[in-house]
Amino acid sequence: MTHRTLLRAGHVLSMDPGIGDLPRGDVLIEDGRIAAVDREISADAEVLDMTGRIVIPGFVDTHRHTWEASIRNVAPDATLDDYFVDILDTFAPLYTPEDVYAANLAGALECLNAGITTLVDWSHINNTPEHPDAAIRALKETGIRAQYAYGSANTSLADYWFESKIAIPGDDVRRIRTEYFPADSDDGLLTLALATRGPGFCVNDVVTSEWALARELGIPLTVHVAMGRLAGRFGMVKQLHDLGLLGPDTTYIHCCYLSEEEWRLVADSGGTVSIAPQVETQMGHGWPPVMKAIEHGLRPSLSIDVVTTVPGDMFTQIRAAFGAERARVNAASWQADVPVPDTMLTARQMLEAATRNGAHVAGLEGRTGSLTPGKRADVVAIDATALNVAPVHDAAAAVALSADVSNVETVLVDGVVRKHDGRLTADVARARRLVEESRDRLLAAKEART
């Protein structure tokens, strides 16, 4: 029997250029799929009243180390260099599969609570084969749409991050692919990617072997590049080009210090870009290059990166990127004594980066990212009657510049309600208990080691 849900009378921001915005519109969902978006729809369906709500596609976070939820805010003042030592060389080697499960469970629920319906889980915590199993199990239990990006172990910073000769274990990635992501299940909620360290962090033989592994399995790659002056000097994209490895299956994260040549190489190869604005401005990676990506014909997406140091919601990322880019342009214009250009970033472009562009970067634009008939029903309703949002003059600006997590009232993933009336439908108390127990375990282990 077909199950229908009708989201009625909301201010619909479809993020689909063919549909546009509907100041008063309906969204009909049938068996997890968006069936229709129109000003008024009559259907025999369960009705959710969206009066006074802004209805948008779910946010897409294209790069988060979800396993770090257990150690949230342990490094509030960290630079990127600090992070490598304080997190990757201190806490990561201590993680058990139980810690990964607890963090991924709490972290994915944190995403849903904040209106993030799709997550790229950049999981560089695979200290044993049981670690990826635990991470995937937690993602499945939450009901989030996720791309699980299998990464390296973190048992030694020196071994795994400085001209490393240790490759991601291909046999275990193949096992994970077979066990959890068979080829005929690629249309489900969970998909697989490879989270690789890339040139400058690995020797060339490791780089080429990891790219070959991903392409053997037909899965995308995701890699950090040009974060900070040092990584910029690595010329990582240029090195990948010289190795003959560039392609449309690769997402480049941060990109703050890409050369003009490298920007062209990314664009010409069909690569995609993930930008983590709050981390980049706060930890010293560089200016978030949202406008630079747009100028090169790319569609930049947004990501959270690490909750050890920054908040885990998309509203923060939208504002960090928007404010940083406009501040950069304003300062440069003032210094040069020239008018500010007319082509500044807009609030709507930032909302597009957090939705449609994110789905594009995650390889899921055919399923999510806009409220388009035929796509899966990943939908978020924002309470626009709240005092921090009302009165609404420009709905896109209201979401991008005024709303916060407290205004995320309703969340659906694949047509399933995951948050209703401002409350998650999951067992939040259990998730909090597990992640707090994980925190205590990790702190005790750290203390014992020192």
Side-chain angles (χ1 to χ4, degrees):
M1 175 179 284
T2 299
H3 180 265
R4 296 185 180 87
T5 303
L6 181 63
L7 309 181
R8 175 169 287 166
H11 191 136
V12 178
L13 300 180
S14 72
M15 306 311 293
D16 181 327
I19 296 172
D21 300 347
L22 303 175
R24 180 183 170 90
D26 296 351
V27 179
L28 178 63
I29 299 166
E30 292 184 352
D31 294 333
R33 179 181 60 87
I34 298 172
V37 180
D38 211 334
R39 286 179 174 80
E40 189 171 352
I41 299 171
S42 296
D44 180 13
E46 175 189 3
V47 175
L48 298 180
D49 185 7
M50 295 288 111
T51 303
R53 276 65 190 159
I54 300 172
V55 180
I56 64 172
F59 294 130
V60 180
D61 176 356
T62 55
H63 153 241
R64 179 191 297 235
H65 307 301
T66 320
W67 61 268
E68 295 177 7
S70 298
I71 49 174
R72 183 188 308 280
N73 296 138
V74 298
D77 307 314
T79 64
L80 177 59
D81 289 344
D82 295 334
Y83 171 83
F84 272 91
V85 175
D86 296 346
I87 305 302
L88 297 187
D89 206 33
T90 300
F91 278 105
L94 305 176
Y95 263 70
T96 66
E98 291 75 22
D99 295 316
V100 172
Y101 172 82
N104 264 34
L105 184 70
L109 290 177
E110 175 190 7
C111 288
L112 292 172
N113 190 56
I116 296 169
T117 56
T118 299
L119 165 68
V120 177
D121 178 24
W122 219 98
S123 192
H124 57 339
I125 191 62
N126 291 325
N127 302 343
T128 72
E130 288 73 33
H131 283 63
D133 295 280
I136 294 165
R137 186 169 75 252
L139 293 173
K140 291 179 69 173
E141 288 181 16
T142 65
I144 198 169
R145 190 178 303 280
Q147 182 181 82
Y148 175 74
Y150 190 116
S152 61
N154 262 308
T155 56
S156 166
L157 187 61
D159 285 344
Y160 282 91
W161 286 95
F162 295 106
E163 292 294 317
S164 175
K165 297 179 182 179
I166 303 174
I168 292 173
D171 287 346
D172 199 51
V173 180
R174 294 183 187 94
R175 174 186 70 84
I176 291 294
R177 174 65 158 153
T178 301
E179 189 167 343
Y180 298 106
F181 304 94
D184 60 359
S185 73
D186 279 347
D187 60 351
L189 282 176
L190 299 187
T191 54
L192 182 64
L194 196 71
T196 181
R197 291 152 292 170
F201 294 108
C202 304
V203 298
N204 285 348
D205 286 349
V206 171
V207 174
T208 55
S209 72
E210 292 185 351
W211 254 256
L213 173 64
R215 288 169 178 168
E216 169 202 326
L217 297 176
I219 60 176
L221 299 113
T222 174
V223 59
H224 303 85
V225 300
M227 59 288 198
R229 291 178 185 271
L230 176 61
R233 286 198 296 268
F234 287 168
M236 297 170 75
V237 171
K238 179 65 165 59
Q239 290 190 59
L240 288 169
H241 168 71
D242 293 344
L243 292 169
L245 298 177
L246 296 185
D249 55 357
T250 305
T251 296
Y252 304 93
I253 302 162
H254 298 310
C255 304
C256 302
Y257 281 91
L258 287 186
S259 66
E260 285 297 317
E261 178 188 12
E262 288 181 303
W263 277 112
R264 290 192 295 271
L265 288 171
V266 170
D268 291 348
S269 66
T272 57
V273 171
S274 173
I275 296 170
Q278 185 67 36
V279 156
E280 288 154 9
T281 54
Q282 184 174 325
M283 296 179 68
H285 297 53
W287 289 108
V290 175
M291 200 66 190
K292 179 68 77 172
I294 293 171
E295 289 168 353
H296 282 85
L298 293 157
R299 296 172 56 188
S301 66
L302 301 178
S303 62
I304 276 69
D305 199 347
V306 295
V307 298
T308 57
T309 311
V310 305
D313 67 278
M314 193 58 69
F315 302 103
T316 294
Q317 306 310 319
I318 289 171
R319 287 160 205 168
F322 188 65
E325 173 60 19
R326 291 176 72 95
R328 185 189 67 80
V329 172
N330 282 322
S333 299
W334 178 267
Q335 185 173 13
D337 196 21
V338 297
V340 174
D342 295 331
T343 55
M344 297 267 272
L345 272 180
T346 67
R348 184 172 286 269
Q349 282 178 306
M350 295 314 308
L351 185 57
E352 184 168 300
T355 54
R356 283 185 68 220
N357 288 7
H360 165 70
V361 169
L364 297 171
E365 195 169 11
R367 299 181 214 178
T368 189
S370 65
L371 303 181
T372 301
K375 290 190 178 184
R376 305 306 296 177
D378 297 348
V379 190
V380 170
I382 305 290
D383 180 6
T385 69
L387 287 175
N388 64 307
V389 182
V392 175
H393 294 274
D394 177 332
V399 175
L401 303 181
S402 294
D404 60 37
V405 174
S406 71
N407 306 121
V408 177
E409 186 177 80
T410 302
V411 176
L412 294 90
V413 180
D414 219 46
V416 178
V417 175
R418 297 296 178 182
K419 186 176 185 181
H420 182 60
D421 287 338
R423 292 182 176 275
L424 289 172
T425 59
D427 188 345
V428 175
R430 172 177 176 266
R432 184 172 56 247
R433 174 177 57 80
L434 290 175
V435 81
E436 288 174 347
E437 290 173 353
S438 172
R439 172 202 60 193
D440 294 344
R441 243 190 338 265
L442 290 165
L443 290 176
K446 175 177 177 284
E447 184 66 25
R449 196 170 74 164
T450 57

